[in-house]
Amino acid sequence: MNVYKINDIAELISGNPYVGRGIVIGKSKDGEKAACAYFIMGRSENSRNRIFTEKNGEVFTEPFDEKKVVDPSLIIYAAIRQFNKSLIVTNGNQTDTIYNGLKEGKSFSDALKIRKFEPDEPNFTPRISGIINFAYNDFDYEMSILKSADEKGTACNRYTFSYQSVNGLGHFIHTYITDGNPIPTFCGEPERVEIPNDVDEFTDKLWNALDNNNKISLYVRYVDLKTNKAENRLINKNK
């Protein structure tokens, strides 16, 4: 087993009906850009009734058809927010928890200590989060997963992974391994994936690899490390 293998993200998820929600963070092959991606999938009508919107550089999930919303508590939230030189991306309202924690001087992992997995028994969907910390024309990043310690939701296990940026390397964390009942949750360290130089190449590769029946929305941002100029791509299945 080659623990240093860098995977093609399309090969990791193609043919998998349900990896849930996913976060990718890494650096382009040429070392010039920080890359961040977030996608959502859904099986129920309530979960599928969503779109991404972007407002002032922040990304939100919103209902596609407000008349069909059943329970907004776990599906409507700010997914991406900026605090000073840090970019936060998560799969739930813990985005705001991290943002407020940073304002109070807490670290990424300390801010998440007051949160746990989602209360959607029997799945107990993990909360996955990431943060990019920009400094000196470069960056480092962290990823977190909060997941149930057992099938009863008795306790919460918290895992934080810290990375220095490496040219062409990204890390991919997602909520589920595949479909199921209950749905098996992600295990282990975030997967190593290749980050191409071109934002459109990466966006197309990721979107086309996601299961067509269950994918909902994708957002990708590439940030030039010298100029701080951002290139953003947003795709919604619901139009």
Side-chain angles (χ1 to χ4, degrees):
M1 180 180 179
N2 181 5
V3 297
Y4 296 110
K5 179 183 177 182
I6 300 179
N7 301 285
D8 183 319
I9 196 168
E11 294 179 1
L12 286 179
I13 60 179
S14 291
N16 190 332
Y18 203 59
V19 292
R21 285 164 275 176
I23 297 171
V24 184
I25 299 175
K27 182 187 277 187
S28 60
K29 278 187 175 182
D30 58 16
E32 295 181 358
K33 301 178 183 71
C36 174
Y38 177 57
F39 66 79
I40 58 175
M41 305 179 77
R43 302 187 304 170
S44 68
E45 183 178 6
N46 190 46
S47 292
R48 291 178 175 179
N49 181 37
R50 287 182 289 173
I51 57 173
F52 281 169
T53 61
E54 185 175 9
K55 304 172 184 176
N56 299 319
E58 298 184 336
V59 178
F60 300 85
T61 62
E62 292 187 351
F64 176 62
D65 184 346
E66 293 188 1
K67 297 178 182 178
K68 294 183 179 180
V69 175
V70 178
D71 178 8
S73 62
L74 295 178
I75 66 169
I76 307 301
Y77 52 87
I80 296 176
R81 297 190 68 183
Q82 182 98 24
F83 177 77
N84 292 338
K85 294 184 178 181
S86 296
L87 185 68
I88 306 161
V89 53
T90 89
N91 74 326
N93 60 19
Q94 73 268 25
T95 304
D96 294 333
T97 302
I98 297 167
Y99 182 91
N100 292 330
L102 296 178
K103 286 180 65 176
E104 295 169 3
K106 296 180 181 179
S107 67
F108 172 71
S109 58
D110 282 344
L112 285 166
K113 285 182 178 179
I114 63 172
R115 303 305 304 269
K116 64 178 186 176
F117 50 86
E118 295 181 359
D120 58 340
E121 188 178 358
N123 297 315
F124 297 119
T125 299
R127 291 190 185 272
I128 55 173
S129 308
I131 189 168
I132 304 176
N133 301 305
F134 294 94
Y136 308 109
N137 297 330
D138 206 350
F139 67 98
D140 58 35
Y141 57 104
E142 296 176 80
M143 304 184 99
S144 164
I145 182 167
L146 312 178
K147 55 183 296 182
S148 179
D150 57 28
E151 70 278 5
K152 297 180 180 179
T154 303
C156 180
N157 291 341
R158 307 168 189 278
Y159 306 90
T160 302
F161 307 90
S162 300
Y163 301 103
Q164 291 184 315
S165 61
V166 175
N167 292 7
L169 175 64
H171 287 88
F172 173 38
I173 192 167
H174 41 101
T175 52
Y176 305 124
I177 297 172
T178 188
D179 205 352
N181 188 24
I183 316 174
T185 57
F186 183 88
C187 296
E189 184 181 340
E191 297 161 314
R192 293 162 61 91
V193 295
E194 183 179 67
I195 305 295
N197 294 331
D198 185 72
V199 62
D200 290 313
E201 177 185 347
F202 187 62
T203 302
D204 291 344
K205 180 188 290 285
L206 183 49
W207 181 249
N208 292 332
L210 291 169
D211 182 80
N212 193 55
N213 291 324
N214 293 323
K215 66 184 179 184
I216 300 171
S217 297
L218 167 66
Y219 184 87
V220 179
R221 178 177 295 180
Y222 271 40
V223 179
D224 188 294
L225 295 173
K226 291 183 179 179
T227 67
N228 292 321
K229 180 181 178 181
E231 294 182 274
N232 305 315
R233 301 293 184 267
L234 190 158
I235 302 176
N236 285 315
K237 187 175 181 180
N238 294 319
K239 298 180 181 179

